[in-house]
Amino acid sequence: KFIMKKYLVIGNPIEHSLSPKLHNHWFEKNNINAIYNKKQINEIDIKDIISELRNEKINGINVTVPFKQSIIPFVDELSVEANNAQSVNTIYKENNKVLGHNTDISGFELAMRGKNYDIKGKKIFILGAGGVVPSIILALKKMGANKIILSNRTKKKAEQLKKNFSDLEIVDWGKFPEFNIIINATSLGLNKEDEIKLDYADLGPNKLFYDVIYNPKQTKFLSKAKEFGHQTENGKMMFIYQAHQAFTLWHKVMPKIDEETIKLLD
Ligand code: ATR
């Protein structure tokens, strides 16, 4: 008999998530009988949702802001990556255990490699200290970054990160050190009017501006950088690659990342 498998992305807010669109597209392309939905939850709901996965009413879960860390105590085991980042974005059941995994790290790495952005020896400046930042730091270190500097409005949160990444350098919010690559990992930019105060004229040439945000496609952070002749990249490929890895884990099928897939998220 046919049983339709069920997948879910949980977060709060969740309305903006394009995960259902992408996964459902790949189900169709690969003739997989499954459905992928999004669900806005509160922290108190996590326990029940994990129980549903345990009972196989749900077959896989993606986790997004702000639960990537708070979900950790509810899973049975963490993958090495999830444990290193203390961040879970992909959950599934294997050998009767609920496993928490992280595909953001490799998602970011593949996005950089796909564009031939060479991280080796580079100075990277990260804005923000939210859920995805530990994954980005791990990927950057793996790719041989020379120095990672971070700034967050709430300095305490930046300093928390230093407990896991002792060579991280912290600067005050509003200060801009020298860098080759700047990464916006704050939620500033989700609203079109959001602006990050930055003296673009003073930065020097040929930087890479990377924004984790992919919707809107071009934040002010990126459009202003473009005006000043810098390279820019949004978070779309990172998003696609993290989904690709989750899909491959769950279905043992590698879906295609082609023009159609990429266009789907425009
Ligand atoms: P979470 O912190 O719950 O994981 P996130 O969306 O991953 O959520 O992270 C939000 C990031 O954007 C944080 O670094 C946040 O800074 P604070 O730690 O000071 O809250 C940052 N952020 C959000 N709004 C901001 C604003 N108006 N100005 C500066 N930084 C902002």
Side-chain angles (χ1 to χ4, degrees):
K1 88 185 171 196
F2 278 125
I3 298 171
M4 190 180 264
K5 290 194 167 177
K6 274 191 172 171
Y7 297 82
L8 204 59
V9 57
I10 56 173
N12 195 347
I14 199 63
E15 209 33 63
H16 67 281
S17 173
L18 294 178
S19 292
K21 201 169 180 185
L22 183 52
H23 282 265
N24 287 321
H25 168 78
W26 281 333
F27 289 156
E28 213 172 282
K29 290 284 166 189
N30 294 281
N31 293 311
I32 294 170
N33 186 37
I35 181 132
Y36 189 115
N37 290 312
K38 54 187 163 193
K39 191 170 185 180
Q40 180 165 318
I41 66 155
N42 295 306
E43 187 130 4
I44 196 166
D45 305 317
I46 292 177
K47 195 164 176 255
D48 287 346
I49 288 187
I50 297 291
S51 300
E52 284 187 59
L53 185 110
R54 215 179 274 286
N55 304 328
E56 291 170 35
K57 285 184 185 145
I58 302 172
N59 302 87
I61 301 171
N62 279 137
V63 185
T64 188
V65 171
F67 303 118
K68 289 183 185 195
Q69 188 168 21
S70 52
I71 203 150
I72 289 176
F74 298 92
V75 305
D76 299 330
E77 241 170 55
L78 293 179
S79 68
V80 174
E81 293 87 347
N83 188 49
N84 286 342
Q86 285 296 296
S87 171
V88 166
N89 78 324
T90 302
I91 302 180
Y92 57 108
K93 194 173 153 186
E94 199 174 78
N95 299 328
N96 244 9
K97 274 188 182 152
V98 176
L99 302 184
H101 184 46
N102 177 309
T103 68
D104 288 328
I105 304 167
S106 54
F108 182 79
E109 182 181 351
L110 289 167
M112 288 292 138
R113 292 199 191 282
K115 297 281 172 174
N116 285 321
Y117 290 133
D118 191 8
I119 301 297
K120 216 173 168 129
K122 297 282 162 43
K123 275 195 184 123
I124 326 268
F125 184 38
I126 300 176
L127 301 171
V132 78
V133 167
S135 301
I136 290 177
I137 294 174
L138 283 166
L140 289 170
K141 281 171 159 284
K142 185 169 170 233
M143 291 185 281
N146 165 268
K147 186 180 213 141
I148 304 173
I149 309 157
L150 184 142
S151 182
N152 191 54
R153 177 181 60 179
T154 311
K155 199 171 186 184
K156 226 206 238 147
K157 268 169 85 184
E159 255 138 27
Q160 289 284 345
L161 278 167
K162 227 180 130 72
K163 288 184 187 157
N164 270 338
F165 304 103
S166 56
D167 45 4
L168 200 63
E169 202 178 291
I170 311 288
V171 300
D172 287 340
W173 185 247
K175 291 260 159 63
F176 289 87
E178 245 199 278
F179 60 82
N180 307 111
I181 301 174
I182 185 167
I183 298 175
N184 177 34
T186 72
S187 44
L188 279 171
L190 284 177
N191 299 313
K192 272 251 171 208
E193 326 75 73
D194 287 348
E195 212 158 348
I196 295 170
K197 255 212 206 145
L198 220 176
D199 240 330
Y200 286 82
D202 277 358
L203 290 176
N206 300 326
K207 316 285 185 198
L208 170 62
F209 279 65
Y210 183 93
D211 204 320
V212 174
I213 295 171
Y214 58 90
N215 184 17
K217 255 199 289 194
Q218 186 164 271
T219 57
K220 261 198 185 147
F221 177 72
L222 294 187
S223 62
K224 285 202 86 176
K226 232 179 215 171
E227 275 173 40
F228 283 83
H230 300 292
Q231 274 189 290
T232 61
E233 181 71 27
N234 72 15
K236 180 150 103 172
M237 291 316 293
M238 178 185 182
F239 171 72
I240 292 177
Y241 283 121
Q242 66 71 32
H244 187 262
Q245 310 249 320
F247 192 99
T248 305
L249 267 172
W250 288 337
H251 310 293
K252 316 288 180 219
V253 172
M254 275 232 260
K256 270 207 189 108
I257 299 177
D258 52 14
E259 279 300 304
E260 193 188 356
T261 316
I262 294 169
K263 281 246 166 65
L264 193 72
L265 306 179
D266 275 349

